[in-house]
Amino acid sequence: AIHARSEQRAAASTLKESAEGDMSSPWQGQFERSSRDACCSALSKTQSQTDQRRSFGVQPENLNLRRRFRSVSKLYLGHARNVRAASKQDLDVALALLSEGLPSLLSVCVVGHGRPPTKRVRDPGVQSLVSNLPHLTELQLSWCGLVSDVGVCALAALSNLAVLDLTLCENVTDKGVHALSNIATLRELNLSFCEKVGDYGVRSLADLPNLQVLSLRNIRGLTDEGVEALACGLTRNTITELDLSDCRDVSDAGVEHLCGLERLRTLDLSHCGKVSDHGVEMIAWHLTSLRSLDLSDCSSGITDTGLEAIASRLSLLTRLELCHLCRISDRGVNALSGLTLLQQLHLRECADITDEGFGCLARSLSMLTRLELGQCEITDVGVCASAEGLSALKHFDLSFCRNLSDVGVESLVLLRNLSTLGLVHCQITDSSVRGLTALEHLTDLDISGTAVTQEVVDSFPDCCVVMAKDFVGGTSLD
């Protein structure tokens, strides 16, 4: 990898030496040892004290790519916000130069940062990649907001493309997605937040014979009709992971059409507010191979009845997310205690879950490594009674459990494997938190909004402690 230096002069010097030095240099030895996994990355770096960007040019006269990195197969530009090419602030030109100079590339990752999505990668850059790298197998263009159907249609020429990420490519429409249906080798496709895509484009994805992983998060134009057409085609395939989160027009009718996807292992329906107990029952009855299920924020229609259906049929689940379900209670949670293979359980902001439900989980789910109970009605009694049964727990969130005090937190020292702990706005003081220093594996502790002092925070030398006093909501451990 090319490591950027904090000073522009040092970075330029390093590149010059690597380009002009002889073939016996240490750089050559480094790439000989790990040629196939090498990654040209970090082409710019923030100078932390001044917060000013310093960058260096990607120019043929300074970087003889073919000679120095002829066996590089992966290119990562995830942090290259200020890459210059031929003295122009134009990442398209840089992509053209890099793809031409590195003909062995099989994987390219160009990730924009922040909002709005980056406007520096456009269709010409994508077209250059396609032209120069016809054997490309993996391409990530997430947050590249100016890439449109023109660039996406060009990708159809990549006959070996297996992984494609177009997250937040805002100008991609049904036309571009339809063109992707010609890439028979696609195994993983991410179209999350491509808000101009609708039923027509999604329907065409049913023609992809090798598709295994598909993310359609926040595709607001997707309805039950699109899900039906997609599912009818995918039943012939080997689809194992499907993300329909935040597709708010998908209802129980659409969920029913998913029941033919018998090989499905991961299903995300979070924020699909039209999904109710009926849809959950259909999932439980037909998709018995599921390992991961997310129904968070389907708050209007999912009750304890849905949880009981999950518990009765989905015995292979290892991960279950049920956050923000305001109509579930201890009754439903008690039923989940039969899912003995569960390793991750998320129940944040389920206000009717109390010590009773928590205790039942702790007694039965000995394999749990992650448990989130933030904003549930958990008290010291429940924590003290249940801590011993959660010996495998590594991540525990009790944030905004306002009835939890020093008494309950003191019992958490029994969780010897704990690495992250959330106690935001709990009624705790130095007394109990000081005892958590006994947890040898603790690396992240969030005590924002509590009365804990800086003196106690300083007693955690190997742990990242967050203690924002003006903290309002959420948790840094999310």
Side-chain angles (χ1 to χ4, degrees), residues 424-460:
V424 177
H425 276 289
C426 294
Q427 305 302 312
I428 57 176
T429 65
D430 291 351
S431 174
S432 61
V433 174
R434 186 178 287 109
L436 297 179
T437 56
L439 297 174
E440 298 178 356
H441 302 290
L442 192 65
T443 58
D444 295 277
L445 174 63
D446 194 341
I447 51 175
S448 300
T450 68
V452 179
T453 66
Q454 185 64 45
E455 179 184 357
V456 171
V457 171
D458 293 340
S459 66
F460 290 85

Short mmCIF file of all heavy atoms in Angstrom, two decimals, residues 424-460:
data_model
loop_
_atom_site.label_atom_id
_atom_site.label_comp_id
_atom_site.label_asym_id
_atom_site.label_seq_id
_atom_site.Cartn_x
_atom_site.Cartn_y
_atom_site.Cartn_z
N VAL A 424 -25.86 4.98 29.31
CA VAL A 424 -26.23 6.37 29.11
C VAL A 424 -27.46 6.73 29.96
O VAL A 424 -28.47 6.01 29.95
CB VAL A 424 -26.53 6.65 27.62
CG1 VAL A 424 -27.00 8.08 27.42
CG2 VAL A 424 -25.30 6.34 26.78
N HIS A 425 -27.36 7.82 30.71
CA HIS A 425 -28.45 8.35 31.53
C HIS A 425 -29.00 7.33 32.54
O HIS A 425 -30.19 7.38 32.89
CB HIS A 425 -29.58 8.86 30.64
CG HIS A 425 -29.35 10.26 30.16
ND1 HIS A 425 -29.41 11.36 30.98
CD2 HIS A 425 -29.02 10.75 28.93
CE1 HIS A 425 -29.15 12.46 30.28
NE2 HIS A 425 -28.91 12.12 29.04
N CYS A 426 -28.15 6.45 33.00
CA CYS A 426 -28.53 5.59 34.13
C CYS A 426 -28.18 6.33 35.43
O CYS A 426 -27.33 7.22 35.44
CB CYS A 426 -27.81 4.25 34.07
SG CYS A 426 -28.30 3.22 32.66
N GLN A 427 -28.81 5.94 36.51
CA GLN A 427 -28.63 6.64 37.79
C GLN A 427 -27.42 6.07 38.53
O GLN A 427 -27.53 5.45 39.57
CB GLN A 427 -29.89 6.51 38.65
CG GLN A 427 -31.15 6.99 37.95
CD GLN A 427 -31.04 8.45 37.53
OE1 GLN A 427 -30.65 9.31 38.32
NE2 GLN A 427 -31.38 8.74 36.28
N ILE A 428 -26.24 6.30 37.96
CA ILE A 428 -25.03 5.69 38.50
C ILE A 428 -24.01 6.76 38.90
O ILE A 428 -24.06 7.90 38.42
CB ILE A 428 -24.39 4.71 37.50
CG1 ILE A 428 -24.09 5.43 36.17
CG2 ILE A 428 -25.30 3.53 37.26
CD1 ILE A 428 -23.38 4.56 35.15
N THR A 429 -23.08 6.36 39.76
CA THR A 429 -22.05 7.28 40.25
C THR A 429 -20.68 6.60 40.17
O THR A 429 -20.55 5.47 39.68
CB THR A 429 -22.34 7.67 41.71
OG1 THR A 429 -22.22 6.50 42.55
CG2 THR A 429 -23.74 8.26 41.84
N ASP A 430 -19.69 7.29 40.71
CA ASP A 430 -18.33 6.75 40.72
C ASP A 430 -18.26 5.40 41.42
O ASP A 430 -17.46 4.53 41.06
CB ASP A 430 -17.39 7.72 41.43
CG ASP A 430 -17.16 8.99 40.63
OD1 ASP A 430 -17.60 9.03 39.46
OD2 ASP A 430 -16.54 9.92 41.17
N SER A 431 -19.08 5.20 42.41
CA SER A 431 -19.01 4.00 43.25
C SER A 431 -19.07 2.72 42.43
O SER A 431 -18.22 1.83 42.60
CB SER A 431 -20.14 4.02 44.27
OG SER A 431 -20.19 2.82 45.01
N SER A 432 -20.05 2.59 41.56
CA SER A 432 -20.20 1.35 40.80
C SER A 432 -19.29 1.30 39.59
O SER A 432 -18.75 0.24 39.23
CB SER A 432 -21.65 1.19 40.36
OG SER A 432 -22.05 2.26 39.52
N VAL A 433 -19.09 2.44 38.93
CA VAL A 433 -18.30 2.45 37.69
C VAL A 433 -16.84 2.13 37.99
O VAL A 433 -16.15 1.47 37.20
CB VAL A 433 -18.44 3.81 36.98
CG1 VAL A 433 -17.51 3.89 35.77
CG2 VAL A 433 -19.89 4.03 36.56
N ARG A 434 -16.35 2.56 39.13
CA ARG A 434 -14.97 2.24 39.49
C ARG A 434 -14.74 0.74 39.53
O ARG A 434 -13.67 0.25 39.15
CB ARG A 434 -14.62 2.87 40.85
CG ARG A 434 -13.16 2.71 41.22
CD ARG A 434 -12.85 3.39 42.54
NE ARG A 434 -12.84 4.85 42.44
CZ ARG A 434 -13.76 5.64 42.95
NH1 ARG A 434 -14.81 5.11 43.62
NH2 ARG A 434 -13.69 6.94 42.84
N GLY A 435 -15.75 -0.01 39.95
CA GLY A 435 -15.60 -1.46 40.01
C GLY A 435 -15.51 -2.13 38.65
O GLY A 435 -15.02 -3.26 38.53
N LEU A 436 -15.95 -1.43 37.59
CA LEU A 436 -15.91 -2.01 36.25
C LEU A 436 -14.49 -2.12 35.71
O LEU A 436 -14.27 -2.77 34.68
CB LEU A 436 -16.78 -1.18 35.30
CG LEU A 436 -18.28 -1.11 35.62
CD1 LEU A 436 -18.99 -0.23 34.62
CD2 LEU A 436 -18.89 -2.51 35.64
N THR A 437 -13.54 -1.51 36.38
CA THR A 437 -12.14 -1.65 35.95
C THR A 437 -11.68 -3.10 36.06
O THR A 437 -10.66 -3.47 35.47
CB THR A 437 -11.22 -0.75 36.80
OG1 THR A 437 -11.40 -1.07 38.20
CG2 THR A 437 -11.56 0.71 36.58
N ALA A 438 -12.42 -3.92 36.79
CA ALA A 438 -12.07 -5.34 36.92
C ALA A 438 -12.37 -6.12 35.65
O ALA A 438 -11.92 -7.26 35.49
CB ALA A 438 -12.83 -5.95 38.10
N LEU A 439 -13.14 -5.53 34.73
CA LEU A 439 -13.47 -6.20 33.47
C LEU A 439 -12.30 -6.05 32.51
O LEU A 439 -12.13 -5.03 31.85
CB LEU A 439 -14.75 -5.61 32.88
CG LEU A 439 -16.01 -5.78 33.72
CD1 LEU A 439 -17.18 -5.02 33.11
CD2 LEU A 439 -16.36 -7.26 33.86
N GLU A 440 -11.50 -7.09 32.38
CA GLU A 440 -10.24 -7.03 31.64
C GLU A 440 -10.43 -6.78 30.15
O GLU A 440 -9.54 -6.24 29.48
CB GLU A 440 -9.45 -8.32 31.86
CG GLU A 440 -9.05 -8.57 33.32
CD GLU A 440 -8.31 -9.88 33.49
OE1 GLU A 440 -8.20 -10.62 32.49
OE2 GLU A 440 -7.86 -10.15 34.61
N HIS A 441 -11.57 -7.20 29.59
CA HIS A 441 -11.78 -7.10 28.15
C HIS A 441 -12.58 -5.86 27.75
O HIS A 441 -12.86 -5.67 26.56
CB HIS A 441 -12.49 -8.35 27.63
CG HIS A 441 -11.75 -9.63 27.92
ND1 HIS A 441 -10.58 -9.95 27.28
CD2 HIS A 441 -12.02 -10.65 28.79
CE1 HIS A 441 -10.16 -11.13 27.72
NE2 HIS A 441 -11.00 -11.57 28.64
N LEU A 442 -12.94 -5.02 28.70
CA LEU A 442 -13.76 -3.86 28.41
C LEU A 442 -12.96 -2.84 27.60
O LEU A 442 -11.92 -2.35 28.03
CB LEU A 442 -14.25 -3.22 29.71
CG LEU A 442 -15.36 -2.16 29.56
CD1 LEU A 442 -16.63 -2.79 29.02
CD2 LEU A 442 -15.64 -1.49 30.91
N THR A 443 -13.46 -2.51 26.40
CA THR A 443 -12.78 -1.55 25.53
C THR A 443 -13.61 -0.30 25.26
O THR A 443 -13.06 0.74 24.89
CB THR A 443 -12.44 -2.21 24.17
OG1 THR A 443 -13.64 -2.69 23.56
CG2 THR A 443 -11.47 -3.36 24.36
N ASP A 444 -14.94 -0.38 25.42
CA ASP A 444 -15.80 0.77 25.14
C ASP A 444 -16.87 0.89 26.23
O ASP A 444 -17.62 -0.06 26.46
CB ASP A 444 -16.48 0.62 23.78
CG ASP A 444 -15.49 0.66 22.64
OD1 ASP A 444 -15.12 1.77 22.22
OD2 ASP A 444 -15.06 -0.42 22.17
N LEU A 445 -16.93 2.06 26.85
CA LEU A 445 -17.89 2.31 27.92
C LEU A 445 -18.53 3.68 27.70
O LEU A 445 -17.84 4.70 27.60
CB LEU A 445 -17.18 2.28 29.28
CG LEU A 445 -18.01 2.67 30.51
CD1 LEU A 445 -19.18 1.70 30.71
CD2 LEU A 445 -17.12 2.72 31.75
N ASP A 446 -19.85 3.71 27.60
CA ASP A 446 -20.56 4.97 27.40
C ASP A 446 -21.35 5.31 28.68
O ASP A 446 -22.32 4.62 29.02
CB ASP A 446 -21.52 4.87 26.21
CG ASP A 446 -22.01 6.24 25.75
OD1 ASP A 446 -21.93 7.19 26.55
OD2 ASP A 446 -22.47 6.36 24.61
N ILE A 447 -20.92 6.35 29.36
CA ILE A 447 -21.57 6.79 30.61
C ILE A 447 -22.07 8.24 30.46
O ILE A 447 -22.13 8.98 31.44
CB ILE A 447 -20.61 6.66 31.80
CG1 ILE A 447 -19.27 7.32 31.50
CG2 ILE A 447 -20.41 5.19 32.17
CD1 ILE A 447 -18.32 7.35 32.68
N SER A 448 -22.43 8.61 29.24
CA SER A 448 -22.92 9.96 28.99
C SER A 448 -24.17 10.24 29.82
O SER A 448 -25.01 9.37 30.02
CB SER A 448 -23.24 10.14 27.51
OG SER A 448 -22.10 9.92 26.70
N GLY A 449 -24.27 11.47 30.31
CA GLY A 449 -25.46 11.86 31.05
C GLY A 449 -25.55 11.28 32.45
O GLY A 449 -26.63 11.26 33.04
N THR A 450 -24.43 10.82 32.99
CA THR A 450 -24.42 10.28 34.35
C THR A 450 -23.62 11.20 35.27
O THR A 450 -23.03 12.19 34.83
CB THR A 450 -23.80 8.87 34.38
OG1 THR A 450 -22.41 8.97 34.08
CG2 THR A 450 -24.48 7.97 33.37
N ALA A 451 -23.57 10.83 36.55
CA ALA A 451 -22.84 11.65 37.53
C ALA A 451 -21.40 11.19 37.72
O ALA A 451 -20.72 11.64 38.64
CB ALA A 451 -23.57 11.59 38.88
N VAL A 452 -20.92 10.33 36.86
CA VAL A 452 -19.55 9.82 36.99
C VAL A 452 -18.56 10.94 36.71
O VAL A 452 -18.74 11.75 35.79
CB VAL A 452 -19.33 8.65 36.02
CG1 VAL A 452 -17.89 8.12 36.13
CG2 VAL A 452 -20.32 7.54 36.31
N THR A 453 -17.49 11.00 37.49
CA THR A 453 -16.51 12.07 37.39
C THR A 453 -15.32 11.69 36.51
O THR A 453 -15.09 10.52 36.22
CB THR A 453 -15.99 12.46 38.78
OG1 THR A 453 -15.25 11.34 39.32
CG2 THR A 453 -17.14 12.82 39.70
N GLN A 454 -14.55 12.70 36.13
CA GLN A 454 -13.38 12.50 35.30
C GLN A 454 -12.33 11.64 36.01
O GLN A 454 -11.59 10.89 35.37
CB GLN A 454 -12.77 13.85 34.92
CG GLN A 454 -11.61 13.76 33.94
CD GLN A 454 -12.02 13.20 32.60
OE1 GLN A 454 -13.04 13.59 32.04
NE2 GLN A 454 -11.22 12.27 32.07
N GLU A 455 -12.28 11.75 37.31
CA GLU A 455 -11.30 10.97 38.07
C GLU A 455 -11.48 9.47 37.83
O GLU A 455 -10.52 8.73 37.65
CB GLU A 455 -11.44 11.28 39.56
CG GLU A 455 -10.48 10.49 40.44
CD GLU A 455 -10.70 10.76 41.92
OE1 GLU A 455 -11.56 11.62 42.25
OE2 GLU A 455 -10.03 10.10 42.74
N VAL A 456 -12.74 9.02 37.82
CA VAL A 456 -13.01 7.61 37.59
C VAL A 456 -12.75 7.25 36.14
O VAL A 456 -12.21 6.17 35.83
CB VAL A 456 -14.46 7.26 37.99
CG1 VAL A 456 -14.82 5.85 37.54
CG2 VAL A 456 -14.63 7.42 39.48
N VAL A 457 -13.09 8.12 35.22
CA VAL A 457 -12.82 7.88 33.81
C VAL A 457 -11.34 7.64 33.58
O VAL A 457 -10.93 6.75 32.82
CB VAL A 457 -13.31 9.06 32.95
CG1 VAL A 457 -12.84 8.92 31.50
CG2 VAL A 457 -14.83 9.15 33.00
N ASP A 458 -10.50 8.40 34.25
CA ASP A 458 -9.05 8.26 34.09
C ASP A 458 -8.53 6.93 34.61
O ASP A 458 -7.38 6.55 34.33
CB ASP A 458 -8.34 9.40 34.81
CG ASP A 458 -8.60 10.75 34.15
OD1 ASP A 458 -8.98 10.76 32.97
OD2 ASP A 458 -8.44 11.78 34.85
N SER A 459 -9.33 6.22 35.37
CA SER A 459 -8.89 4.93 35.90
C SER A 459 -9.07 3.80 34.90
O SER A 459 -8.80 2.64 35.21
CB SER A 459 -9.65 4.61 37.19
OG SER A 459 -11.03 4.40 36.94
N PHE A 460 -9.55 4.13 33.68
CA PHE A 460 -9.71 3.15 32.61
C PHE A 460 -8.68 3.42 31.52
O PHE A 460 -9.01 3.95 30.46
CB PHE A 460 -11.11 3.23 32.00
CG PHE A 460 -12.22 2.75 32.89
CD1 PHE A 460 -12.80 3.59 33.82
CD2 PHE A 460 -12.69 1.44 32.79
CE1 PHE A 460 -13.83 3.16 34.63
CE2 PHE A 460 -13.72 1.00 33.60
CZ PHE A 460 -14.28 1.86 34.52
#
